[in-house]
């Protein structure tokens, strides 16, 4: 409008007039288009937020108290959300506007793209397919969340399985517990077969190659690009992994009084999926120090860590509406046992679902979940429309809590809390070794390797269900260097014992990216802000670190993640920081492993 009247005042100039008219016409056109997009997005954001909330509330009830009534309500709410998100009118308008993307503001384009990704989860151009998917998702979640494991005919909880794997030194007992942890697979396999096809079906409805392709589209990447990125992580970290693998199998063979194996038997490791090699470095095992603390103390202490860095306190409703602790003796309710954090209303209703016990695993998981909570809080502001109240990408969301989990393991900080005694002498190599094993390096070969490649096979390559378990263990052997205690035939579906395979499909590479990002952010923080060595630093009570992280978080999904990363750290996505962090460990391992055959090939 302003340009038009300005051009009117220069009507006498003759030569300039046609030029100005041309400009003003295109500005009018794009202003009209931008107005149309703004109007559409005002409505779309409001409706999305309202239905997102209805759906979250219903899902929350179903996850924290599995009953037929809660399942039915969750299915209905899921359909209501899809009825809007995937509405043909929404799809049409978003596509029509995106045909003129160059004339729209970047933040408008991002919202429209996100609206289309949401639509692809439940495209109502094919309502029967969407309804079938939602019904199957609800059923699968119900089976997963209510599954009762048993050991020697007695029920055993997931926490009990983890605690036994952490403490038992009897290989027969360990094998029985490990096998018990795989009981849910056969119960989940039929639902997963159905869901594979339904998920691929919805993704294809809007032109995505398959469900894996739809998920990686959230990164602005293709399946091939994501797989090659994940392979590059493994290539960069393989020398370190081979050294760790060699060191660990010697250590465990000695512990269990066994000959040194080529591949590590899965039941020798303390994690059900060998994803994190915890509890191997005795000197860095903090579990004994958490004895006598309460689960409530764990969550409060995690909140304090964030508050100390200048983040606000969690909203009061976090404490009243979350479900943070294991079921009490005699409670018959069934709830999901994995950690999660929910932005229920895309506003201030933030809740976490956990089963916190006072041990290292839950100490770390609590810091992870609060990372999500603080990300939600940071981007809940008027400048970030509800559609973009997401991480820069999903890995950013996962990486924040992982970073704080890394920071909260610093001996100096743990001493200040009184977890470690004041006279505790931390051995740097022990801590570095534990960091690598328990939180970072084997995790890459599990997340980038086994999980990502298996899911790509089932979604993008149509792997037949008769080959699912064989392929799973082929990948565990090839990528992780781990083998099952006995043959695992197709009567099992060991992949499905992992939560995410069921309820967070084609997502797991995000945790690998998060691990790489964690070291990039850490590297930047220690060098530029703390000016401390990466392996011996303390973020506690440092508001500058908090400010740096909040700056990244407050953007939500309003900018491309590559730009956010480059602006924050000066670097593109890279394993450089991770490899450098573990350099002193690499040297130490090479000495320890001298004369030993390295690797398993
Ligand atoms: O699932 C989680 C979080 C919830 S987003 C507890 N994590 C992955 C897992 O447990 O497998 C955190 C790291 C890996
Ligand atoms: Zn998470």
């Amino acid at each position: 409008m302003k340009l038009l009247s300005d051009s009117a005042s220069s009507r006498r100039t003759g030569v300039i007039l046609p030029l100005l008219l041309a400009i003003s016409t295109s500005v009018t056109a794009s202003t009209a288009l931008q107005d149309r997009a703004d109007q559409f997005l005002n409505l779309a954001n409001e409706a999305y937020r309202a239905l997102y909330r209805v759906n979250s509330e219903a899902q929350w009830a179903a996850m924290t108290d599995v009953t037929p009534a809660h399942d039915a309500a969750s299915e209905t709410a899921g359909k209501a959300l899809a009825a809007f998100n995937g509405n043909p009118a929404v799809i049409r308008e978003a596509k029509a506007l995106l045909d003129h993307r160059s004339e729209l503001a970047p933040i408008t384009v991002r919202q429209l793209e996100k609206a289309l990704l949401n639509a692809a989860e439940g495209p109502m151009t094919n309502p029967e397919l969407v309804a079938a998917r939602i019904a199957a998702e609800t059923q699968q979640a119900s089976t997963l969340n209510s599954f009762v494991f048993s050991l020697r005919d007695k029920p055993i909880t997931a926490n009990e399985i983890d605690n036994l794997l952490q403490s038992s030194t009897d290989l027969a007992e360990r094998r029985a517990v490990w096998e018990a942890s795989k009981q849910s697979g056969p119960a989940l396999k039929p639902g997963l077969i159905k869901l594979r096809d339904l998920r691929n079906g919805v993704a294809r409805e809007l032109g995505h190659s398959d469900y894996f392709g739809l998920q990686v589209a959230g990164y602005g990447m293709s399946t091939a690009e994501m797989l090659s990125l994940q392979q590059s992580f493994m290539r960069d970290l393989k020398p370190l992994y081979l050294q760790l693998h060699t060191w660990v199998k010697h250590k465990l063979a000695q512990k269990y009084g066994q000959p040194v194996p080529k591949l590590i038997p899965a039941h020798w490791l303390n994690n059900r999926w060998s994803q994190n090699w915890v509890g191997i470095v005795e000197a860095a095992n903090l579990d004994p120090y958490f004895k006598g603390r309460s689960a409530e103390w764990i969550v409060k202490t995690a909140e304090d860590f964030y508050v100390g860095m200048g983040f606000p306190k969690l909203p009061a409703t976090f404490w009243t509406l979350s479900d943070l602790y294991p079921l009490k003796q005699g409670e018959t309710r069934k709830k999901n046992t994995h950690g999660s954090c929910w932005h229920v209303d895309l506003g201030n209703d933030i809740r976490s679902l956990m089963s916190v016990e006072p041990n290292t695993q839950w100490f770390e998981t609590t810091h992870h979940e609060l990372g999500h909570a603080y990300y939600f809080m940071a981007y809940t502001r008027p400048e970030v429309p509800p559609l973009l109240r997401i991480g820069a990408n999903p890995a950013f969301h996962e990486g924040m809590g992982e970073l704080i989990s890394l920071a909260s393991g610093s001996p100096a900080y743990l001493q200040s809390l009184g977890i470690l005694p004041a006279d505790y002498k931390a051995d740097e190599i022990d801590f570095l070794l534990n960091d690598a094993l328990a939180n970072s390096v084997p995790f890459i070969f599990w997340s980038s390797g086994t999980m990502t490649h298996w899911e790509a096979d089932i979604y993008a390559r149509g792997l037949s269900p008769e080959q699912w378990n064989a392929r799973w263990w082929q990948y565990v052997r090839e990528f992780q260097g781990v083998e099952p205690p006995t043959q695992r035939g197709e009567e099992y579906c060991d992949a499905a014992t992992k939560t995410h395979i069921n309820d967070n499909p084609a997502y797991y590479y995000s945790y690998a990216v998060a691990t790489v990002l964690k070291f990039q952010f850490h590297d930047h923080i220690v060098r530029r802000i703390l000016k401390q060595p990466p392996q011996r630093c303390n973020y506690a009570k440092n508001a500058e670190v908090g400010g740096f992280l909040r700056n990244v978080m407050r953007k939500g999904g309003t900018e491309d993640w590559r730009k956010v990363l480059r602006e924050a750290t000066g670097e593109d996505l890279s394993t450089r920081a991770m490899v450098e962090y573990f350099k002193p460990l690499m040297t130490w391992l090479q000495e320890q492993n001298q004369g030993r055959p390295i690797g398993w090939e």
Side-chain angles (χ1 to χ4, degrees):
M1 285 317 268
K2 191 160 182 305
L3 234 171
L4 267 180
S5 55
D6 282 356
S7 74
S9 70
S10 36
R11 199 160 290 151
R12 269 154 285 128
T13 54
V15 188
I16 295 176
L17 184 64
L19 184 66
L20 281 178
L21 271 178
I23 294 172
S24 63
T25 315
S26 85
V27 167
T28 314
S30 55
T31 304
L33 197 73
Q34 184 66 49
D35 284 348
R36 177 174 148 192
D38 288 346
Q39 275 185 28
F40 168 68
L41 285 172
N42 277 342
L43 182 74
N45 273 299
E46 285 298 318
Y48 166 69
R49 186 174 173 192
L51 288 159
Y52 185 95
R53 177 189 189 157
V54 169
N55 185 51
S56 301
E57 294 262 20
Q59 297 251 357
W60 175 266
M63 286 274 270
T64 54
D65 186 8
V66 185
T67 66
H70 285 160
D71 287 348
S74 143
E75 190 177 329
T76 304
K79 286 181 186 164
L81 179 65
F84 178 77
N85 276 358
N87 195 291
V90 169
I91 297 171
R92 252 192 332 266
E93 182 65 355
K95 280 187 172 166
L97 287 163
L98 281 172
D99 281 344
H100 302 273
R101 62 176 61 226
S102 62
E103 297 162 51
L104 294 168
I107 193 166
T108 305
V109 172
R110 296 187 71 77
Q111 290 173 79
L112 293 168
E113 282 173 339
K114 181 61 186 168
L116 278 183
L117 289 175
N118 290 343
E121 293 286 344
M124 293 300 280
T125 44
N126 190 341
E128 295 79 24
L129 181 67
V130 172
R133 179 190 177 193
I134 294 170
E137 296 282 3
T138 308
Q139 177 60 53
Q140 189 77 346
S142 183
T143 307
L144 174 75
N145 298 331
S146 64
F147 191 84
V148 182
F149 296 94
S150 63
L151 181 66
R152 292 183 286 271
D153 296 325
K154 285 214 189 76
I156 181 172
T157 66
N159 272 355
E160 285 165 345
I161 289 176
D162 292 343
N163 293 341
L164 271 173
L165 286 177
Q166 190 68 24
S167 62
S168 172
T169 50
D170 172 351
L171 280 182
E173 163 93 349
R174 297 187 65 84
R175 187 176 139 184
V177 175
W178 184 88
E179 282 169 354
S181 79
K182 304 297 160 197
Q183 286 162 356
S184 57
L188 291 162
K189 184 171 180 180
L192 187 59
I193 295 174
K194 225 198 242 173
L195 276 170
R196 184 265 297 267
D197 296 336
L198 292 167
R199 287 167 179 162
N200 275 345
V202 294
R204 286 173 186 150
E205 187 69 22
L206 285 200
H208 294 274
S209 54
D210 55 76
Y211 196 75
F212 199 95
L214 168 60
Q215 297 309 303
V216 298
Y219 283 77
M221 292 169 80
S222 68
T223 297
E225 285 166 343
M226 183 54 85
L227 288 177
S228 109
L229 178 68
Q230 301 290 320
Q231 284 152 9
S232 78
F233 293 167
M234 291 192 284
R235 206 172 323 113
D236 297 349
L237 290 156
K238 188 84 183 251
L240 177 57
Y241 188 49
L242 291 179
Q243 292 291 333
L244 287 166
H245 185 274
T246 304
W247 186 84
V248 162
K249 68 187 180 189
H250 280 79
K251 176 91 182 165
L252 293 179
Q254 190 187 29
K255 173 176 172 185
Y256 297 123
Q258 297 291 317
V260 178
K262 229 177 165 148
L263 296 150
I264 301 176
H267 66 303
W268 286 23
L269 293 161
N270 294 354
N271 176 278
R272 283 179 259 168
W273 305 275
S274 312
Q275 70 182 60
N276 287 319
W277 297 3
V278 295
I280 296 174
V281 187
E282 294 97 353
N285 179 6
L286 302 176
D287 277 340
Y289 300 105
F290 285 109
K291 292 254 157 65
R293 304 279 174 170
S294 67
E296 289 78 5
W297 180 88
I298 299 273
V299 189
K300 279 281 175 204
T301 301
E303 182 194 31
D304 284 348
F305 195 92
Y306 287 89
V307 172
M309 291 191 299
F311 286 91
K313 282 187 162 288
L314 292 165
T317 50
F318 175 87
W319 300 102
T320 50
L321 299 177
S322 287
D323 187 333
L324 299 170
Y325 309 111
L327 295 175
K328 296 201 181 68
Q329 199 91 72
E331 246 188 302
T332 52
R333 172 167 73 100
K334 303 247 172 60
K335 72 176 234 193
N336 173 288
T337 55
H338 198 78
S340 54
C341 198
W342 301 49
H343 201 183
V344 173
D345 61 350
L346 298 175
N348 294 322
D349 184 352
I350 290 166
R351 306 178 198 173
S352 179
L353 169 53
M354 293 194 276
S355 293
V356 180
E357 290 187 349
N359 60 32
T360 315
Q361 184 210 322
W362 280 109
F363 185 72
E364 289 175 353
T365 300
T366 304
H367 287 81
H368 175 102
E369 297 312 335
L370 293 199
H372 289 304
Y374 279 105
Y375 215 141
F376 297 150
M377 287 162 75
Y379 57 55
T380 298
R381 53 193 191 98
E383 294 79 1
V384 181
L387 277 165
L388 298 179
R389 293 190 184 168
I390 50 176
N393 66 28
F396 272 66
H397 231 297
E398 299 300 344
M400 287 301 159
E402 285 298 294
L403 175 68
I404 299 309
S405 181
L406 168 78
S408 70
S410 131
Y413 165 66
L414 293 169
Q415 276 177 315
S416 77
L417 274 186
I419 284 284
L420 288 174
D423 60 356
Y424 182 87
K425 288 268 170 300
D427 181 288
E428 195 172 305
I429 285 295
D430 282 336
F431 270 77
L432 207 51
L433 184 57
N434 191 61
D435 249 1
L437 293 175
N439 299 306
S440 308
V441 184
F443 185 75
I444 289 288
F445 291 80
W446 149 257
S447 52
S448 295
T450 306
M451 284 291 278
T452 296
H453 284 75
W454 191 83
E455 287 198 290
D457 283 355
I458 74 160
Y459 291 107
R461 299 183 179 124
L463 183 70
S464 151
E466 295 90 72
Q467 293 174 280
W468 281 7
N469 220 35
R471 184 63 57 86
W472 176 259
W473 285 105
Q474 179 196 325
Y475 284 155
V476 174
R477 285 191 178 89
E478 281 176 20
F479 291 120
Q480 298 177 261
V482 169
E483 66 181 349
T486 53
Q487 239 358 76
R488 304 288 294 173
E490 296 300 333
E491 68 275 28
Y492 300 110
C493 185
D494 293 320
T497 65
K498 184 70 194 165
T499 307
H500 306 69
I501 295 288
N502 304 288
D503 62 9
N504 212 348
Y507 177 86
Y508 214 86
Y509 44 81
S510 295
Y511 295 108
V513 178
T515 302
V516 170
L517 282 175
K518 161 176 85 172
F519 286 101
Q520 287 189 265
F521 282 121
H522 180 70
D523 189 75
H524 179 85
I525 287 167
V526 296
R527 285 180 208 284
R528 309 274 167 209
I529 303 177
L530 297 174
K531 309 208 172 16
Q532 294 170 0
Q535 299 87 353
R536 242 173 310 119
C537 62
N538 191 356
Y539 296 18
K541 301 212 161 55
N542 191 304
E544 210 184 323
V545 174
F548 166 75
L549 294 175
R550 234 190 5 260
N551 249 337
V552 171
M553 294 181 182
R554 67 199 292 281
K555 293 181 200 289
T558 58
E559 292 173 22
D560 185 87
W561 64 267
R562 297 161 189 85
K563 175 168 174 276
V564 178
L565 179 60
R566 214 171 298 127
E567 283 176 7
T569 66
E571 198 181 36
D572 292 330
L573 184 65
S574 153
T575 56
R576 176 203 60 81
M578 182 166 178
V579 170
E580 269 179 29
Y581 182 85
F582 290 118
K583 268 225 172 100
L585 177 65
M586 183 68 180
T587 312
W588 181 86
L589 284 166
Q590 282 165 332
E591 281 162 21
Q592 302 295 310
N593 286 332
Q594 241 171 45
R596 294 173 172 172
I598 304 294
W600 58 88
E601 269 140 16

